[in-house]
């Protein structure tokens, strides 16, 4: 390689380094360099496009109409097909392929990608017969390699630009879709809120009126009528519970469910839940047992939602356990967590069903003729509510032998409470968030009233039997108590009498379907401040709160 030509090649390569961002200028430098280095009359860079090839750069000026030629039969096609350098010294004696008119000699070098794919060619033409030296071929091949890299990079760049444009378009479409989804979610929440009011209100009236009829307030009923009224009441409560489940799930998924966290005694909570379902277990002849350590650690959480979790699991166990079966609740704790397990001897769950048991609307038997009622939301709510509390829920099951659901929750992080005297006169809580004690054993009514009261800015404590109502009243000192008259273990009248020994001034409102003139006197004698008749109306509830809390 002569010093002059080597220097010239270096100058061309240096020039190329400054033209990497402009493909046309880059390729023009390549063909100009080849023409000067090996003395061609015409050099071009071509790009294959199907049955044609396009001239991307030329060492001489060309008309745009002349830049696209047919590939078939041309000498360039020979280079493309062979994928190797081709030299023709004299086309008159070696007619390999069609040459442009007026040219006799040819040097063609394929332009290949790093993977070996031929993209086009670098072609050099001589008007007179000519034989290129090995050195000239090497010069041309070096520059052709640079052209290959430039074209490959350019095509990659073009593809990247296309991808970027598509990404930008998809991003803009995604913004539109997200806005539509956000609006749809807002409309869904608005719809559920409306339905919550429009459906809950008449359902509460149906349940309340059915209870009034069952208690024979308006006259005695024959056995057939009583059975029908009980069916109406049970169906109403079932529908209300299902509606509550649907609304709760929607709140959780939209991030609108707020937990009212506090210290929760899991032992007392389990006892309370078992008291509610014990009549159902007796009716089904199912043995209901439990083992709860007396010193079981407390957890930090929302008592109402944790009650919902346990109630769902225990009710499910009873529902899927045949007569003469067993349902047991066990609890254990260590320094960090509390575990509550609900075990039944029911039908069990298949491995296929276990994989999606916590998914919404999944039921063990989805056929039209399934013997078990429900929407398939209960276990979904259990898992979501436990997760919100920072816990986990697991299930183990064997078909035909039963299932065990285990809820694990972190222990309470609150410092131990100091014992306080329980015989102090009533001292109102923070007036901005008055504490309401709701003593009611019907879960559907508890959820309905709790949701309503919390939306109005109140804190709510729940008691499902008379003794629990006394315990909560004397330890938490509520601002007002709603007391159902018919409570398990101890009725509302006796519970109120005992509460009055500790809280003589706290407003206690009787909730009853038996509101006759003589009942009013009996309630006042027991220590009630006022009374509400069922079915409850939210307007009357609000008026009662305003009257006795003076807000």
């Amino acid at each position: 390689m002569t010093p002059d030509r080597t220097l010239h090649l270096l100058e061309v390569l240096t020039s190329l380094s400054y033209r990497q961002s402009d493909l046309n200028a880059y390729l023009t430098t390549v063909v100009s360099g080849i023409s000067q280095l090996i003395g061609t009359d015409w050099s071009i860079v071509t790009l294959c496009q199907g049955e044609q090839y396009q001239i991307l750069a030329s060492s001489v000026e060309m008309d745009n109409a002349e830049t696209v030629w047919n590939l078939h039969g041309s000498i360039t096609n020979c280079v493309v097909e062979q994928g190797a350098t081709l030299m023709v010294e004299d086309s008159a004696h070696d007619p390999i392929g069609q040459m442009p008119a007026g040219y006799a000699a040819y040097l063609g070098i394929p332009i290949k990608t790093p993977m070996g794919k031929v993209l086009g060619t670098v072609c050099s033409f001589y008007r007179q017969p000519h034989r290129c030296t090995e050195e000239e071929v090497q010069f041309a091949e070096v520059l052709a390699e640079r052209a290959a890299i430039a074209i490959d990079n350019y095509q990659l760049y073009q593809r990247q630009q296309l991808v970027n444009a598509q990404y930008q378009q998809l991003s803009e479409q995604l913004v539109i879709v997200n806005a539509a989804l956000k609006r749809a979610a807002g409309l869904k929440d608005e719809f559920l809120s409306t339905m919550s009011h429009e459906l809950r209100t008449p359902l509460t009236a149906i349940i309340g009126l059915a209870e009034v009829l069952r208690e024979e307030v308006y006259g005695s009923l024959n056995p057939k009528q009583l059975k029908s009224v009980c069916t109406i009441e049970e169906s109403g409560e079932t529908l209300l519970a299902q509606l509550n489940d649907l609304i709760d799930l929607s709140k959780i998924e939209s991030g609108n469910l707020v937990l009212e966290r506090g210290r929760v005694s899991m032992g007392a909570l389990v006892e309370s839940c078992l008291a509610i379902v014990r009549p159902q277990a007796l009716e089904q002849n199912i043995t209901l047992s439990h083992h709860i350590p007396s010193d079981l650690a407390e957890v930090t959480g929302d008592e109402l939602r944790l009650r919902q979790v346990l109630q769902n699991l225990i009710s499910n166990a009873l529902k899927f356990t045949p007569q003469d079966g067993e349902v047991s609740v066990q609890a254990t704790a260590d320094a960090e967590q509390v575990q509550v397990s609900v075990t039944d001897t029911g039908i069990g769950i298949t491995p296929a069903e276990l994989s999606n048991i916590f998914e919404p609307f999944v039921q063990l038997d989805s056929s039209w003729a399934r013997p078990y009622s429900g929407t398939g939301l209960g276990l979904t709510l259990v898992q979501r509510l436990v997760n919100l509390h920072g816990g986990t829920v697991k299930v183990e099951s064997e078909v035909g032998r039963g299932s065990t659901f285990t809820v694990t929750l972190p222990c309470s992080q609150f410092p131990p409470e100091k014992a306080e005297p329980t015989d102090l006169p009533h001292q109102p809580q923070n007036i901005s968030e008055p504490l309401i004690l709701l003593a009611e054993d019907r879960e559907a009514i508890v959820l309905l009233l709790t949701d309503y009261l919390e939306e109005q800015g109140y804190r709510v404590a729940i008691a499902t039997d008379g003794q629990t109502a006394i315990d909560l009243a004397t330890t938490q000192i509520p601002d007002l108590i709603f007391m159902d008259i018919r409570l398990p273990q101890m009725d509302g009248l006796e519970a109120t009498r005992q509460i009055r020994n500790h809280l003589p001034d706290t407003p206690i409102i009787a909730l009853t379907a038996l509101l006759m003139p003589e009942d009013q006197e009996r309630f006042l004698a027991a220590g009630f401040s006022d009374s509400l008749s069922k079915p409850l109306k939210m307007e009357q509830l609000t008026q009662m709160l305003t009257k006795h809390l003076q807000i």
Side-chain angles (χ1 to χ4, degrees):
M1 185 177 292
T2 62
D4 290 343
R5 282 187 168 179
T6 301
L7 181 60
H8 194 176
L9 177 60
L10 290 174
E11 289 175 351
V12 172
L13 293 176
T14 302
S15 177
L16 288 175
S17 66
Y18 293 102
R19 290 175 169 78
Q20 290 182 359
S21 59
D22 187 339
L23 180 65
N24 183 266
Y26 191 98
L27 296 180
T28 299
T29 302
V30 168
V31 294
S32 297
I34 290 175
S35 292
Q36 295 170 15
L37 282 168
I38 63 176
T40 70
D41 295 307
W42 182 33
S43 293
I44 58 175
V45 175
T46 70
L47 181 67
C48 297
Q49 295 178 332
E51 294 297 320
Q52 296 177 322
Y53 64 92
Q54 180 183 7
I55 298 176
L56 298 181
S58 172
S59 60
V60 298
E61 188 173 347
M62 295 181 65
D63 190 302
N64 287 335
E66 299 177 332
T67 59
V68 178
W69 292 359
N70 288 326
L71 188 62
H72 182 70
S74 67
I75 193 168
T76 299
N77 189 50
C78 297
V79 178
V80 172
E81 289 182 346
Q82 295 176 15
T85 298
L86 175 65
M87 183 168 60
V88 177
E89 297 179 24
D90 188 347
S91 59
H93 297 93
D94 190 11
I96 295 177
Q98 183 179 354
M99 291 271 285
Y103 293 94
Y106 171 83
L107 176 63
I109 303 167
I111 296 175
K112 297 181 180 180
T113 67
M115 301 300 293
K117 180 183 177 181
V118 177
L119 299 176
T121 62
V122 173
C123 303
S124 296
F125 300 94
Y126 297 87
R127 295 189 181 279
Q128 301 297 326
H130 178 82
R131 177 181 177 81
C132 295
T133 66
E134 183 177 344
E135 183 183 72
E136 290 174 333
V137 172
Q138 289 177 350
F139 285 152
E141 287 179 340
V142 168
L143 294 176
E145 183 180 347
R146 296 299 186 278
I149 294 172
I151 293 174
D152 190 41
N153 287 342
Y154 179 76
Q155 290 184 337
L156 287 174
Y157 172 77
Q158 290 293 92
R159 286 195 290 270
Q160 184 62 49
Q161 290 295 98
L162 178 61
V163 169
N164 290 344
Q166 292 174 339
Y167 175 79
Q168 180 64 29
Q169 184 180 11
L170 289 174
S171 297
E172 293 172 357
Q173 291 175 350
L174 187 60
V175 169
I176 296 172
V177 170
N178 283 338
L181 288 174
K182 186 175 181 180
R183 173 171 169 75
L187 291 174
K188 183 193 73 173
D189 292 341
E190 183 180 343
F191 171 77
L192 287 173
S193 176
T194 301
M195 287 299 98
S196 171
H197 174 74
E198 297 299 329
L199 293 179
R200 279 175 164 177
T201 300
L203 273 174
T204 305
I206 291 170
I207 296 168
L209 285 172
E211 185 179 0
V212 169
L213 292 172
R214 176 172 54 79
E215 299 294 340
E216 299 182 331
V217 173
Y218 301 134
S220 61
L221 302 176
N222 62 43
K224 187 175 182 179
Q225 291 172 328
L226 184 60
K227 182 179 180 181
S228 298
V229 167
C230 288
T231 300
I232 293 173
E233 186 178 11
E234 291 171 1
S235 299
E237 289 184 343
T238 298
L239 187 56
L240 184 56
Q242 292 173 348
L243 177 63
N244 288 334
D245 284 350
L246 184 61
I247 292 171
D248 283 345
L249 181 61
S250 176
K251 285 182 178 179
I252 292 172
E253 293 189 336
S254 62
N256 292 327
L257 185 71
V258 179
L259 297 180
E260 299 293 333
R261 296 182 182 272
R263 299 173 67 95
V264 180
S265 169
M266 292 302 291
L269 195 59
V270 170
E271 293 277 4
S272 176
C273 292
L274 290 174
I276 293 176
V277 301
R278 192 162 278 115
Q280 179 186 349
L282 290 173
E283 183 180 346
Q284 296 178 222
N285 199 28
I286 293 175
T287 301
L288 188 61
S289 63
H290 67 282
H291 177 70
I292 309 297
S294 58
D295 58 347
L296 186 67
E298 294 180 328
V299 302
T300 301
D302 186 321
E303 183 175 350
L304 174 65
R305 298 304 175 182
L306 291 176
R307 178 185 300 278
Q308 193 174 353
V309 167
L310 294 178
Q311 202 72 54
N312 262 321
L313 292 178
I314 298 172
S315 297
N316 260 6
L318 290 173
K319 180 167 70 172
F320 292 103
T321 299
Q323 287 191 354
D324 302 321
E326 297 180 10
V327 172
S328 64
V329 182
Q330 310 285 331
T332 59
D334 56 29
E336 297 181 353
Q337 59 188 22
V338 175
Q339 282 192 339
V340 180
S341 298
V342 179
T343 302
D344 64 64
T345 58
I347 62 175
I349 308 169
T350 67
E353 291 168 334
L354 277 176
S355 62
N356 60 357
I357 193 69
F358 294 109
E359 293 300 315
F361 307 107
V362 170
Q363 296 169 320
L364 294 183
D365 181 0
S366 59
S367 65
W368 287 105
R370 65 179 184 269
Y372 306 104
S373 61
T375 59
L377 290 176
L379 290 177
T380 303
L381 280 173
V382 165
Q383 186 188 54
R384 305 291 172 83
L385 289 173
V386 170
N387 289 346
L388 284 177
H389 282 83
T392 60
V393 56
K394 296 180 180 179
V395 56
E396 297 176 354
S397 186
E398 184 177 345
V399 176
R401 297 183 63 88
S403 307
T404 296
F405 286 83
T406 301
V407 173
T408 303
L409 296 167
C411 290
S412 176
Q413 300 301 311
F414 289 132
E417 293 180 341
K418 295 181 179 180
E420 296 182 358
T422 58
D423 56 351
L424 295 176
H426 172 61
Q427 298 179 355
Q429 303 287 330
N430 182 354
I431 194 64
S432 64
E433 292 184 352
L435 176 63
I436 307 298
L437 172 58
L438 176 60
E440 169 65 61
D441 64 327
R442 294 176 180 271
E443 184 182 5
I445 302 300
V446 168
L447 290 174
L448 174 65
L449 294 182
T450 301
D451 281 353
Y452 176 78
L453 291 170
E454 289 180 346
E455 287 176 2
Q456 301 302 312
Y458 299 99
R459 294 175 297 132
V460 183
I462 310 296
T464 55
D465 60 73
Q467 185 57 54
T468 303
I470 296 171
D471 295 340
L472 291 176
T474 54
T475 56
Q476 297 196 19
I477 318 297
D479 294 271
L480 183 142
I481 301 171
F482 285 114
M483 180 76 71
D484 186 35
I485 296 300
R486 293 183 176 273
L487 289 173
Q489 297 185 20
M490 179 188 298
D491 65 30
L493 290 170
E494 180 58 30
T496 298
R497 292 188 187 98
Q498 295 193 31
I499 289 172
R500 279 295 178 224
N501 294 329
H502 304 279
L503 304 175
D505 301 322
T506 299
I508 305 179
I509 314 301
L511 304 178
T512 179
L514 305 171
L515 194 54
M516 306 299 286
E518 58 271 23
D519 294 324
Q520 187 73 30
E521 297 176 5
R522 187 160 56 99
F523 296 158
L524 291 174
F528 284 99
S529 309
D530 217 326
S531 59
L532 280 173
S533 61
K534 297 180 179 180
L536 299 176
K537 293 184 178 179
M538 298 301 111
E539 182 180 356
Q540 294 175 335
L541 197 71
T542 301
Q543 290 173 353
M544 195 65 68
L545 290 166
T546 302
K547 174 183 176 181
H548 289 282
L549 293 179
Q550 298 180 352
I551 55 177

